[in-house]
Amino acid sequence: MLNYKIYSFFQIYCKILFFICLSNFSFSQEFKGKIIGNVKDSSTNANVEFATVKLFSKIDSTFIKGDVTDSLGNFNILNVPNGIYYITVDFIGYDLVKTSPVELNDATIFINLKSLLLIISKTNTIDQVNIVGKQNAFEIGLDKKVYNVGTDLSTKGGSANDVLIKVPSVDIDQDGKISLRGDGNVTILIDGRPSSMSGGNGKSLLDAIPASQIERIEIISNPSAKYDPDGTSGIINIVLKKNKLRGTNGMISATAGTKDLYNTSLSFSIRNSKINSYVNYSYKYSVGYRNNFGDLKRLIDDQVISKLNQSRLGMDSNLTHSLKIGSDFYISSSQTIGFSVAGTSSDRARTGNLTNRLYNGQNLLQNYWTRSSYDPTYQQNLDINLNHKLELNDKKGTFETNFTESLGNSDNYGYYQELYYTTDSVLNAFAPKNQKLTDLEKNNVFTGQTDFIRIIDSKKARIEAGVKAIVRNLGVNTTSQTMDTLSQNYFTDTLSNFIYSYNEQVYSAYAIYGQQKGKFKYQGGLRFEQAFQNPFLKSMNEKFTNNYFNIYPSGHFKYNHRENTEWSLSYSRRINRASSEDLNPFTSYADPFNLRKGNPALKPEYINSFDLGYSIDKKKVNIVTSLYYRYTTDVIQRVKIFTSTNAATITFANIDQSHSGGVEFVLSYKPTKWWRNMISFNGSYIRFIDNTANYNYNNSGFNFSAKYVGSIEYWKHSMTTQLNIQYNAPQTTAQGIIQRRGAIEISTEKSLYKGKWAIGLRVSDVLDRQGFSLKVRQPTIQQDAEFKWLTRRIYLTVTYKFGKIEMMNKPKTGIDSGGGGMDF
């Protein structure tokens, strides 16, 4: 049960929400009419996606409303009052199409225009199309939110992590671990599928994906049964670019940043009526510092008996190559076969010098030593995808099949030397301690799935069904060696030597039915899943088996009480399986007093998630707000375990249960054509409940974060300046408090030569405050730590475009359904 404070907070929130609804309610004419149709290319009979469809009054040519065609070329204009209208269809490179007048009345409330054919414009002989209009940076639906990367100047020259941290309710910690709505158990997909690039081999590789290769970020906070039930807080889908415009198109971009940062990217595509081929390449090199400082105190009866003070100064360099190539083959107007290969290669080297000072209870220095480290890492990842899409003859459904093989290798090495000093800072005479660590990892993920969609117009209904298989294999081989001081040769020690394998197989099937009844829409689904998890510590012959069958229901309800406003209510049961990162027992010994490793004995956690939402979508203002509640059992949490030698091990543990309730609010406001604003807020109360002996994992607290993005256009809309502000309040964990400090960023871009060239300037973390701190409070342990890395840079970016690079006013898009696919 939530306590009285959070109950009062929700009471106030609901009152505010009620007055917002009341202020937007009006007694108006009830709109009943509906006009649908399909848009095709006249020469190939292929569906035309992203065509603009507009409805006008025949009497005075007043614009009434409009739509944009989906991937099947369909449009759907709802809630049209009685009257006589005509429709226009427009798309880049085609002549405008205007229909004959049509009439809606009490006897005719539904009109199907069937196929409207677009003819390629004879006057369109130039290679360059000038772009007018601008895509919204953040497009909002009740269950799915789309963040369009290309419109955000603050991501120029950055990586996928730089993009994600700009998205409302998304945060990233110092280790690259992502959280959504304050919860770190989130599923990351690349192009809608699991990938080794999203951190499956024990480390987040998203920093290796350049922002220039990302088209959009999709957030699904309470997914339907169509999606894997993994992830407490939902799904984050990173969609990479794949140009869909005809002709030859390309873009070249180069970025230089202060303190040794360089980034170059290239995209190129060729498309005609039979094939669309594309290639994206990026190179990134960066160097920066990475420091941390901390104090660890041991207590007996609240009295300090020892204190370990640590100070680490280090450098971090990263060299990354990324490449994606692919082709879509249009076999016919109803069949498409696609093939793509995406890969990254990353070389990372971290160096550091850690100073350790151990004091007694009287604060007198007892021991003093240093530890230097060199940790090079070499990673390669490859995603191979084959897909086939078949559109039914009546254009009311599709079959889609996808096969993906994701391969990942990571070779990690560590070279360490310890030097010992007297309390007077004099180097001791005995030899230093030299250690060497080798960790070789492989991560392979195979995904195969088939999805079927069928729309039943007569019932305003939609049926979805599908099957899926995921097979994941992880291998880890770790050896540890120490140098013999006499022979100067390394010998195998007992520090960290093991062979570990992890096999996971998940087989699932789902079915969804949705229907519209007047102003109500509903959708219900079931997902059936059989999972096999088999971690195996081969070197110690320790096997862990976790096999289980589960049914995951989901339900979504929507109510349009008037035009441009909507209520929604959703529920889903979900599971968070421990990831290979969480299970991997490999231990990092860069700092022997702050070790890091996984826990192969972790159990999955189960979540019941509820979400109540309300949205207002008007010309200048868009508001989406939601109340959510999650009840979780066997909660997977990052914890610290302390030993009597002052060492702390960061690992993962199952906590009995947690209750979490919160509020999410996103406001987009465009008062003029040249000024855009977006404000987002996420606040939640969480309570951890646990009965583990010898550890206190019981804790509770209120967490919140806020973000602001504002941009202005001037100089005849050829120049844009943007301001980003982020704030993160202290966050409650099972053992204490952590705080991620946000940043202020300023960026500007000037387009030249009719948009072919662009020059951008960005200053990240203007106040140089971005960082991370933590406090751990246990009965016999207190720890305070501070982490700071290079975050303030100045970036200069030059971009050249040719061909038809962008689309005008691109619509809201995303991976289908997810609780947002309830339009019939």
Side-chain angles (χ1 to χ4, degrees), residues 164-165 167-172 178-181 219 236 707:
L164 286 171
I165 204 169
V167 179
S169 302
V170 176
D171 203 1
I172 302 177
I178 298 166
S179 61
L180 175 62
R181 286 180 169 179
I219 307 295
I236 297 177
K707 299 180 182 182

Side-chain angles (χ1 to χ4, degrees), residues 536-747:
F536 182 22
L537 193 54
K538 296 181 179 180
S539 53
M540 300 183 68
N541 199 29
E542 293 183 6
K543 293 185 178 181
F544 304 86
T545 300
N546 198 357
N547 302 334
Y548 44 88
F549 173 80
N550 280 299
I551 299 176
Y552 302 97
S554 68
H556 294 78
F557 303 89
K558 292 186 179 181
Y559 172 64
N560 295 86
H561 76 275
R562 66 183 300 270
E563 192 176 16
N564 299 324
T565 61
E566 191 171 51
W567 285 93
S568 74
L569 177 65
S570 63
Y571 163 78
S572 66
R573 182 174 185 260
R574 305 185 60 75
I575 185 176
N576 181 47
R577 279 179 280 266
S579 68
S580 56
E581 173 186 4
D582 302 340
L583 296 166
N584 188 348
F586 167 69
T587 304
S588 171
Y589 280 90
D591 177 3
F593 286 89
N594 288 283
L595 307 177
R596 297 172 183 269
K597 71 173 184 177
N599 178 5
L602 281 177
K603 297 179 293 184
E605 62 180 14
Y606 292 93
I607 308 100
N608 289 279
S609 177
F610 302 83
D611 199 297
L612 172 65
Y614 178 74
S615 73
I616 303 170
D617 188 4
K618 295 192 174 182
K619 184 176 181 180
K620 293 185 177 182
V621 178
N622 186 302
I623 299 174
V624 169
T625 183
S626 62
L627 285 169
Y628 58 89
Y629 170 75
R630 293 189 295 259
Y631 169 65
T632 308
T633 58
D634 287 325
V635 185
I636 297 175
Q637 272 279 298
R638 181 184 296 186
V639 298
K640 278 197 170 187
I641 298 176
F642 299 90
T643 66
S644 59
T645 61
N646 287 320
T649 300
I650 301 174
T651 185
F652 298 89
N654 286 112
I655 295 172
D656 291 344
Q657 59 179 285
S658 72
H659 298 265
S660 175
V663 178
E664 186 178 50
F665 178 85
V666 182
L667 166 67
S668 295
Y669 178 51
K670 186 181 178 183
T672 67
K673 292 182 178 179
W674 50 268
W675 185 18
R676 298 167 182 259
N677 301 272
M678 184 181 71
I679 299 173
S680 62
F681 171 85
N682 179 70
S684 63
Y685 172 87
I686 189 166
R687 181 185 178 192
F688 296 98
I689 302 173
D690 188 76
N691 294 314
T692 303
N694 301 322
Y695 292 98
N696 181 16
Y697 294 147
N698 294 281
N699 203 0
S700 63
F702 183 75
N703 313 313
F704 74 91
S705 63
K707 299 180 182 182
Y708 168 78
V709 180
S711 65
I712 58 173
E713 294 182 3
Y714 50 97
W715 205 335
K716 297 182 179 180
H717 297 282
S718 67
M719 193 164 184
T720 304
T721 297
Q722 180 174 307
L723 174 66
N724 291 65
I725 302 175
Q726 303 172 36
Y727 174 76
N728 298 298
Q731 180 178 342
T732 302
T733 68
Q735 289 183 299
I737 293 175
I738 61 175
Q739 181 167 15
R740 306 176 183 97
R741 294 189 300 276
I744 297 176
E745 296 191 356
I746 299 175
S747 46

Side-chain angles (χ1 to χ4, degrees), residues 124-139:
N124 185 31
T125 58
I126 58 175
D127 293 328
Q128 178 70 34
V129 176
N130 293 329
I131 305 301
V132 294
K134 190 171 183 178
Q135 189 178 10
N136 290 328
F138 198 71
E139 297 170 340

